[in-house]
Amino acid sequence: KVMSIGGGVMGPAVKGAPYSADEIRENTQVLGDGTTIHNETKTTVYRDGEGRMRRETPNDISIWDPAAGTNYVLNPKTMQARQMSLHFAFTRSTSGAPAAGGEKTSTSTFFYSTSKNSEAPVVVMSDDQVITTGTATAGAVKIARRESGNKESLGTQSMEGVNADGERITSTIEVGAIGNDRAIQTVTERWYSQDLQTNVMTKRSDPRSGEETFRLTNIHRGEPSPVLFEVPPGYTLV
């Protein structure tokens, strides 16, 4: 199972760039009869100077500590905390020149967490907006992705108080590639902050799925409270 995770903030540890912010994810799709479907979610995220991450929604809280090699998933309704081990899989690399059509295959840094039961599902988080689940053993997880299309720089601009470098990637699915009788064009726009070392905004437009937008709002620079990265008192560890 593969799905998007927007900014990919649960990837490799980023030290020396603490912040807190709200992640806003929006999806807008217009059906053939004109019906518009719009969904929006908000996640509060914290990262400290050691690279520890906390992601908080009304239903669950995730705490990732790459240095300690642990991951906690908290359920505030049941006051339970699940602990899993955090493992390093592999690092980003790009091999070979782009193939015909401008495509290239690359890999990225991944962390995956497992429970003490080796048969439990593996959860993989990357810095390339991909999450996958499945059953695997240590060192057996590997994901490759393809980048294609024409890239153009959008320059630098201030977004939510931080400078971000933008790029736009325009890709075309040629006629007949997936049974389509006309060419399909997708456009992806990314704004990356060197100071925060994460995406501040991404936008993807695809006629098959509509428009997906990820953005960071209410960005606060500075060290979050250390207690945010610990299991609160009163929680039962399961």
Side-chain angles (χ1 to χ4, degrees):
K1 182 178 181 182
V2 180
M3 67 188 77
S4 169
I5 60 168
V9 297
M10 300 300 286
V14 176
K15 295 187 177 183
Y19 76 95
S20 62
D22 291 327
E23 292 180 353
I24 307 297
R25 290 183 173 83
E26 297 180 77
N27 178 266
T28 302
Q29 186 177 14
V30 180
L31 305 183
D33 62 358
T35 301
T36 298
I37 301 174
H38 179 81
N39 291 290
E40 180 176 324
T41 61
K42 183 178 79 170
T43 302
T44 302
V45 59
Y46 305 87
R47 184 175 71 199
D48 70 1
E50 294 301 312
R52 295 184 298 178
M53 297 292 306
R54 175 188 175 105
R55 295 173 55 81
E56 185 173 331
T57 71
N59 296 320
D60 59 68
I61 300 169
S62 296
I63 300 175
W64 284 58
D65 188 343
T70 58
N71 170 37
Y72 293 98
V73 179
L74 312 181
N75 186 327
K77 296 179 180 179
T78 63
M79 298 289 287
Q80 291 183 330
R82 289 184 290 118
Q83 180 179 3
M84 295 180 286
S85 298
L86 190 64
H87 304 280
F88 173 76
F90 61 93
T91 56
R92 175 193 298 274
S93 65
T94 301
S95 58
E103 292 187 347
K104 64 179 181 180
T105 299
S106 61
T107 59
S108 303
T109 301
F110 288 88
F111 290 103
Y112 62 93
S113 58
T114 63
S115 67
K116 293 181 179 180
N117 180 358
S118 61
E119 297 301 319
V122 172
V123 180
V124 181
M125 298 282 189
S126 81
D127 60 345
D128 284 311
Q129 306 174 35
V130 176
I131 175 175
T132 184
T133 61
T135 301
T137 57
V141 179
K142 183 175 182 180
I143 295 177
R145 69 185 180 94
R146 288 196 168 190
E147 294 179 342
S148 63
N150 299 318
K151 291 186 179 182
E152 59 178 310
S153 173
L154 300 178
T156 302
Q157 70 177 36
S158 177
M159 307 180 76
E160 293 290 326
V162 298
N163 290 330
D165 301 318
E167 72 171 3
R168 181 184 292 120
I169 304 173
T170 303
S171 304
T172 301
I173 301 175
E174 301 297 340
V175 175
I178 55 174
N180 50 315
D181 62 355
R182 289 188 294 179
I184 299 174
Q185 189 174 78
T186 66
V187 180
T188 301
E189 184 177 317
R190 295 190 182 97
W191 291 88
Y192 182 83
S193 168
Q194 296 288 347
D195 291 337
L196 296 182
Q197 297 186 49
T198 191
N199 288 326
V200 178
M201 195 274 282
T202 64
K203 182 186 295 183
R204 177 177 173 81
S205 178
D206 188 325
R208 296 167 296 174
S209 58
E211 183 174 280
E212 299 177 1
T213 303
F214 162 88
R215 53 193 172 91
L216 285 182
T217 64
N218 300 321
I219 298 175
H220 297 283
R221 307 290 298 273
E223 197 73 28
S225 172
V227 301
L228 291 171
F229 307 98
E230 301 172 357
V231 177
Y235 271 72
T236 301
L237 194 62
V238 298

